[in-house]
Amino acid sequence: ELGFKLEPNDEIKSNLEEIKKFIQKWEAARQKLPYQTDGLVISLNNNALFEKLGVAGKAPRGAVAYKYPAETATTVLEDIRVSIGRTGAVTPYAVLKPVNVAGSTIRRATLHNEDEIKRKDLRIGDTVVVQKAGDVIPEVVEPIKKLRSGKEKIWKMPRHVGGVDVIRPKGEAVARLA
């Protein structure tokens, strides 16, 4: 009535069982939408009750975001390289055999830092599970260790990049150019 564009697939449900069925229905059907979505918003359709429930921080208690599990795929971790940020941060990233995930071809993914690579026990040559975190940012989830051949290589942070020393101050996760 006020001229706002509405989601044409919006539905009013009366109970949790109906909401669960709606969530299940759209898990597969969302792939056919003309836009990407990683979930649904479930909101009370009673303004007085919505207001009475109030807000926790910035989040209204009368609404909740339901996120679908991220789409995953497997590929090969072909190499680990580093990029240099504007502050001199040295950040490792994965070079992947191209794979399609959630509608786009993934060739690179952040690995965050050296500790994260060690925590996940990632090795060059591993077959890995990748996803798009929040259906946006490419991420290496884990290696598939049972597929290891023994030819995989453990990666080490380079000591120098472009002739400049790489240092990692004690207690910090990020390595930097000296």
Side-chain angles (χ1 to χ4, degrees):
E1 292 174 11
L2 296 174
F4 291 105
K5 278 188 160 188
L6 300 176
E7 168 56 50
N9 300 300
D10 189 34
E11 293 182 20
I12 295 175
K13 302 298 177 190
S14 302
N15 57 54
L16 285 176
E17 199 54 44
E18 289 180 7
I19 293 170
K20 286 179 188 177
K21 287 179 184 174
F22 186 78
I23 289 170
Q24 290 169 347
K25 168 184 151 184
W26 281 103
E27 184 163 13
R30 70 190 177 111
Q31 304 302 328
K32 296 175 185 146
L33 291 170
Y35 52 85
Q36 289 187 336
T37 180
D38 64 351
L40 304 168
V41 174
I42 301 160
S43 180
L44 286 176
N45 193 25
N46 178 319
N47 288 342
L49 185 53
F50 194 100
E51 288 293 323
K52 186 176 180 180
L53 289 172
V55 176
K58 293 182 179 181
R61 290 189 175 110
V64 65
Y66 177 87
K67 300 288 186 181
Y68 289 108
E71 180 182 323
T72 62
T74 59
T75 190
V76 176
L77 175 59
E78 294 180 330
D79 198 6
I80 297 176
R81 298 181 187 158
V82 295
S83 65
I84 310 302
R86 64 176 180 77
T87 64
V90 180
T91 305
Y93 65 91
V95 177
L96 304 166
K97 182 175 179 182
V99 63
N100 192 291
V101 180
S104 58
T105 302
I106 305 299
R107 292 180 171 89
R108 307 273 189 272
T110 183
L111 294 173
H112 303 290
N113 58 53
E114 186 177 15
D115 290 344
E116 190 70 359
I117 293 168
K118 288 177 182 174
R119 185 186 71 76
K120 291 181 178 180
D121 191 20
L122 295 171
R123 300 176 187 189
I124 297 169
D126 271 338
T127 297
V128 295
V129 176
V130 294
Q131 70 180 19
K132 285 168 59 178
D135 275 358
V136 178
I137 301 167
E139 170 185 35
V140 176
V141 178
E142 64 184 351
I144 303 174
K145 294 179 182 180
K146 67 182 179 185
L147 295 180
R148 284 186 173 156
S149 67
K151 295 180 182 178
E152 297 78 14
K153 296 177 189 164
I154 294 174
W155 178 84
K156 292 187 189 245
M157 179 67 76
R159 292 182 178 189
H160 312 280
V161 174
V164 180
D165 290 345
V166 174
I167 60 166
R168 182 173 165 194
K170 272 201 188 295
E172 290 191 26
V174 177
R176 300 189 181 280
L177 295 180

